[in-house]
Structures are given as structure tokens and as C-alpha cells.
Amino acid sequence: MTSQPNTGSDPAAQDMSPQEIQAVIDRILAKDVPAKNVSTPRGEGSGDGKAVLGRAQAISRLDEEHSTYDGDQQDLEERRALRRRAGLSTELEDVTEVEYRQLRLERVVLAGLWSEGTLADAENSLRELAALAETAGSEVLDGLVQRRDKPDPGTFLGSGKAQELKDIVISTGADTVVVDAELAPSQRRALEDIVKVKVIDRTALILDIFAQHAKSREGKAQVELAQLEYLLPRLRGWGESMSRQAGGQVGGAAAGMGSRGPGETKIELDRRRIRTRMAKLRREIAAMKPARETKRANRRRNEVPSVAIAGYTNAGKSSLLNRLTDAGVLVENALFATLDPTVRKAETADGLGYTLADTVGFVRSLPTQLVEAFRSTLEEVADADLILHVVDASHPDPEGQIAAVRKVFSEVDARKVPEIIVLNKADAADPFVVERLRQREPRHVVVSARTGEGIPELLKVISESIPRPSVKMELLIPYERGDLISKLHESDAEILSLDHLEAGTRAAVMVREGLASELEPFTVNG
């Protein structure tokens, strides 16, 4: 989106088609017509504020969402059963003795700051916020980017721009404002006082999506813990929330025990209950951790190589897992569609076994609460032998996605693990962007999980990169020990040659250390 010079009395309309002008008029008249592909400069040509509209570019525009490798996708049908439907009336009338209020499904206006980088970076960030809002089930009506060196400590946007945001909220009929940053509690309250509608920040929006999509018991506990950590410093009270709770014998004049002192306010009581619930959730998550560690220890004991599929949200990690293993994992063109890790077994072309683990997606400014709560899940990445870092090559800012993911890798101590950049969605990407990424990343593979392009090359790179059996042995195995021959044909050994002699089966093999000790009695020299 570009800024138009102020060359006339109505510069915004000079390059707009009649359909775009009509869309603006309808929106101003509050006819509930969402804006489409319109970029309207705001302000007096100073460039300090812009409206950012249009569909979120973080969500792909592919005609076919699934391939035959994705299976029946029954979980996706269940998830979409309760999703809102555009065009249906959702208004209810809540009549009370003091007001008439319209309640509707959330219709949101976005607000962000352009404090560093380019305008394109700021608009991409706001479009990603729009994709997050759409994933949460909201309808995005309008967006505003303000040029500002640093956030206003009072209202985040500043009083003038906050008033302009209020005008946009009134003209569009929105009921929620979503800010592209994490707001301090005081900033949120001050902004709500001005715009007169609910205000939430980026962190709260991501937490809401995680709460919707968590399926497993561990995932739900992790999300609830992250939500409570976010909520605790943001508790606020109305009316009786500041009343004191006294205990004991308080009925008479000489109340005695329990009546002395100021007592505990309702909001303090709420904080204590939240801390108690958080402590219980931490114990539950800690109790679930041994089961995951036991499975991981079994793989390590059997020396099974592990490959972790990680990357930005909606980059195509689950689609890639389905393509490689026919796992049938849920695939949806939305952000954070899958949260629970999925581990599947796979084999190289020469029969060497390894595991593939699909992990939770990352995003810019991933809330620290989620990183801490999902640390046990993210350990799958840190403990892997190889990371397939999946990148959406069709995204407007793939380099920014790579940097955001590697930042999370650093937070979970995964930077030491060998990494292969998998440039996914090659069928929809700009060839110049793909070539630019190939020049920046020496270890890369260009694939399309939807069409299958580049999958053979990826399998070859995985086969060459995972740890292979390192102990070479010359064996003569009697024919009555067919169980040992069977083990050599399993996925933890590599057979170099096999000859059937009169005394038994002579084999030259590469095996792992655990199996080598078992085969030691059958070694031969020369």
C-alpha cells in the first residue's frame, strides 16, 4: 500500500474505482459492508496514520486446501461445526432497566504502530493480526497503522489517534478493537475509556486461538496456565470488588477473633484463587512430562533418529507430515490449526528408520507465557537430531518468519540442532523470492506439500542428514539364529552385503552400538 500525494481536495478518491468509492460510502453509513481491497490514507498527508484493509496475507489463497495425503480430515469438520457464518443475522437484544444493547459476534477494528522497519513491514504485521482475528472467528472491518517512534505510555496510540480510532469504530459499527502489541493494563483501560468498546491485545488474541484449538489434556492445561499468567496482573474490579472480606466472629460488637484488621478485598481473593489454580496446573503438567520423556527415552535407547518439523504457523508443517507419512493430521488454512505434537515413524529409501514429529507453530512476538507453558512440547525440537524448518515461500516476508522462528529456537536451546530450510508452497511462490531465499540459506530444499514437488529431494536430504549406524561388523550367523538376521533387516541396521554359506549367513553390516554388543559373538576376521 502506498501513500498518495496531497494534490487536490480529495486525493484519496482520485485513484479509486467507483466500486471502491461505493464500499467506502457504505462503510461510513454503517451498512455493515466490510471493506475490500481499499487503501485509504488518513491524516493531513503527514504519513502518521494509514488504514490497512484487505484479506490477511498470512492466510494462503490456494484453491485446494487439502491433498489426497491428508486423509478424511474428520477433526476439521468437527472444528468448523461451530464456526460463525457470514451473512447470517447474529444480533440479539438484551433489554435491561438502564439500556438497550445490541450483542453480536465480534466485529473488530485493528490498530498498530509503525515504529521501526518499513511501512510494508508494519502492514504485513497488521495483516497477520487480521489473519489471527479471522482464525479466532471475528470479522475484520478496518485497520489503522500509526507512525510513531514509541508507544504512548497512556493510551498506546496517543490521544489524537485514539480519538480517530473511536471515529472508525463508530462508523464501522465495530464492537472490539485489537491492538498489534501487548498492552499494559493501564493502557488497555485508558484506550477502552476513549473508544468505548472492548480492547484486547495481540497476546490475548493468540491465547484465545490456542484455547479454541487445544484438544489433548496436556494442551488444554498448558493453554489455561498461559491464560492465567496473562490474566493475573490484569485483574480489575467493579463495585463490590474492593469490599473487604472479614472472617470469624463478626456479628456482635465484641466480635473477637477474625474481626481485627482490614480484611481481604474481593480482587485479592480472586488473585489468590488464580495463583492456587496456576500451582495446580503446574503440578499436573509436571506429572504429564514423564510420559513424554519415557517415550523419548525409548527412542534414544533404541537409537532411533528423530526429525522435528518446526516453523512459522500456517507454513504447511502438518501438510508436509501427511505427505511424508500419510499421518492424516488435521490441516486447515488458518493460524495455529494444530497445537498438539504428532509423532510418526518413517523410513529412508534404504530401510533406515526414524521418527517425524510435527510441533506447534510459531509467530512473531510469541507470548512468553506460551513459550513457558509449552516448553515440554517444544523440547521435541531441542532433543531432535534434525530440524526441518518449514518456511512459507509465498508469504510477503519469509525472512521475517525465519528470524522469528530462530528466536524461539534460541529460547528452547535448539539452535545447536542441525537445521534444513524447507521452502514450502513452491507452487504458489514467486520464483524470484524462492531464488533469493536459496541464496541466503545454504542448506535448503524447495518443495510443495500440496503437489508433491521436491518431496523426493527432501527425503534424500533427510536420509543423508540423520545419524546413521556407525559400527561396521563382519558376521557369520548360524542358520538357527534367524532372529538375528531379522534384526539386521529392521530399521536400526544397514546391510552392506549378504551371502549364504554352508556354515551360515555371512553379512557385512553397519549397526548401532546397542546391537553391536549383541552381535559380538558372531564376528569373524577377514
Side-chain angles (χ1 to χ4, degrees):
M1 299 177 191
T2 58
S3 177
Q4 301 292 336
N6 191 2
T7 57
S9 59
D10 190 11
Q14 290 180 359
D15 296 329
M16 296 172 61
S17 66
Q19 293 82 1
E20 292 172 333
I21 294 175
Q22 185 61 43
V24 174
I25 294 173
D26 290 342
R27 194 168 74 257
I28 293 174
L29 295 178
K31 292 184 178 179
D32 292 341
V33 177
K36 296 182 179 179
N37 301 323
V38 182
S39 179
T40 308
R42 297 189 182 276
E44 300 296 326
S46 60
D48 61 341
K50 288 182 177 293
V52 179
L53 312 172
R55 180 170 174 78
Q57 292 184 15
I59 296 181
S60 302
R61 297 177 175 83
L62 299 177
D63 296 332
E64 297 179 11
E65 188 174 6
H66 301 106
S67 69
T68 56
Y69 291 86
D70 293 327
D72 295 334
Q73 293 291 312
Q74 296 178 353
D75 291 341
L76 183 60
E77 183 179 352
E78 176 186 349
R79 174 176 291 179
R80 290 179 173 174
L82 297 177
R83 187 67 55 86
R84 71 179 298 278
R85 292 293 181 267
L88 298 180
S89 175
T90 59
E91 293 187 1
L92 303 173
E93 204 171 66
D94 178 23
V95 182
T96 68
E97 60 183 358
V98 295
E99 64 178 337
Y100 294 90
R101 179 183 301 158
Q102 285 186 325
L103 303 177
R104 67 184 76 184
L105 290 169
E106 286 174 315
R107 307 168 73 240
V108 305
V109 170
L110 312 178
L113 287 186
W114 170 23
S115 56
E116 58 184 15
T118 65
L119 176 60
D121 294 334
E123 292 184 350
N124 282 334
S125 181
L126 204 67
R127 287 195 179 97
E128 183 176 271
L129 186 69
L132 290 168
E134 290 176 11
T135 301
S138 301
E139 179 186 0
V140 179
L141 302 177
D142 210 335
L144 181 71
V145 173
Q146 182 190 12
R147 181 72 167 113
R148 191 182 181 94
D149 292 335
K150 59 182 180 179
D152 180 76
T155 60
F156 183 76
L157 294 174
S159 57
K161 202 53 74 172
Q163 189 62 44
E164 184 178 335
L165 181 62
K166 176 184 178 181
D167 296 338
I168 296 175
V169 168
I170 294 173
S171 65
T172 57
D175 52 30
T176 305
V177 169
V178 183
V179 177
D180 192 19
E182 182 168 337
L183 296 177
S186 59
Q187 290 175 322
R188 179 183 170 187
R189 285 195 299 270
L191 197 55
E192 281 186 344
D193 290 341
I194 295 175
V195 299
K196 305 300 182 184
V197 295
K198 180 174 68 174
V199 175
I200 64 173
D201 58 16
R202 181 188 180 93
T203 300
L205 182 59
I206 293 175
L207 290 172
D208 182 74
I209 295 173
F210 270 59
Q212 291 182 45
H213 292 178
K215 299 288 287 184
S216 67
R217 180 166 168 260
E218 184 177 9
K220 290 178 179 178
Q222 290 168 329
V223 172
E224 185 181 355
L225 176 60
Q227 287 179 312
L228 291 177
E229 287 180 343
Y230 173 80
L231 177 64
L232 185 60
R234 291 170 173 81
L235 276 183
R236 40 181 191 169
W238 294 273
E240 64 179 14
S241 296
M242 299 306 293
S243 60
R244 301 280 179 179
Q245 307 293 315
Q249 307 161 0
V250 296
M257 241 178 2
S259 63
R260 303 178 184 89
E264 188 178 39
T265 64
K266 180 68 166 56
I267 197 167
E268 290 169 345
L269 187 64
D270 291 340
R271 288 196 183 103
R272 182 161 54 82
R273 287 174 174 169
I274 288 177
R275 291 191 185 98
T276 302
R277 178 61 180 166
M278 288 169 60
K280 181 180 179 182
L281 287 170
R282 288 193 179 100
R283 289 194 299 269
E284 290 179 358
I285 294 172
M288 299 173 199
K289 188 177 180 180
R292 189 180 300 280
E293 289 182 340
T294 300
K295 295 177 183 177
R296 203 176 295 141
N298 286 336
R299 295 198 293 268
R300 282 198 294 264
R301 185 171 60 251
N302 296 326
E303 299 183 82
V304 179
S306 60
V307 179
I309 302 176
Y312 212 79
T313 181
N314 207 41
K317 298 181 298 298
S318 298
S319 298
L320 186 63
L321 179 67
N322 290 343
R323 172 67 70 165
L324 295 176
T325 65
D326 294 328
V329 175
L330 182 144
V331 172
E332 184 179 12
N333 187 19
L335 277 63
F336 300 113
T338 51
L339 301 182
D340 301 316
T342 303
V343 180
R344 291 291 185 270
K345 186 177 180 180
E347 284 189 1
T348 62
D350 55 357
L352 184 64
Y354 61 95
T355 59
L356 275 168
D358 180 21
T359 60
V360 63
F362 304 142
V363 75
R364 286 185 186 85
S365 305
L366 187 67
T368 55
Q369 299 94 335
L370 284 174
V371 175
E372 289 302 317
F374 278 78
R375 185 166 292 276
S376 60
T377 301
L378 296 174
E379 286 174 358
E380 290 285 353
V381 179
D383 289 343
D385 296 303
L386 177 68
I387 296 176
L388 298 184
H389 182 170
V390 184
V391 179
D392 180 1
S394 65
H395 190 271
D397 183 23
E399 289 90 352
Q401 290 192 347
I402 294 174
V405 172
R406 284 177 173 165
K407 181 179 179 181
V408 181
F409 284 171
S410 299
E411 293 178 10
V412 297
D413 299 325
R415 290 292 287 141
K416 64 183 183 297
V417 182
E419 174 190 19
I420 295 174
I421 295 292
V422 181
L423 302 175
N424 192 25
K425 304 184 183 179
D427 54 318
D430 185 341
F432 293 101
V433 174
V434 174
E435 185 60 30
R436 185 180 74 213
L437 294 171
R438 293 178 63 181
Q439 296 295 328
R440 289 174 57 94
E441 301 294 338
R443 298 194 68 191
H444 67 268
V445 183
V446 181
V447 305
S448 171
R450 189 170 67 94
T451 65
E453 175 189 348
I455 296 299
E457 290 81 359
L458 176 60
L459 291 172
K460 181 181 178 182
V461 172
I462 293 174
S463 177
E464 295 171 350
S465 303
I466 59 176
R468 304 187 73 86
S470 57
V471 181
K472 186 175 182 179
M473 303 184 75
E474 293 282 344
L475 305 172
L476 181 62
I477 302 175
Y479 287 118
E480 62 266 19
R481 294 302 307 270
D483 58 315
L484 296 178
I485 298 295
S486 177
K487 284 187 177 182
L488 293 178
H489 282 284
E490 291 178 355
S491 57
D492 57 351
E494 186 176 351
I495 298 177
L496 304 178
S497 64
L498 200 65
D499 295 317
H500 299 287
L501 307 178
E502 184 177 352
T505 302
R506 185 175 181 121
V509 295
M510 298 290 294
V511 297
R512 304 190 189 280
E513 293 181 359
L515 184 57
S517 59
E518 185 178 353
L519 296 173
E520 185 67 32
F522 303 97
T523 57
V524 295
N525 296 321

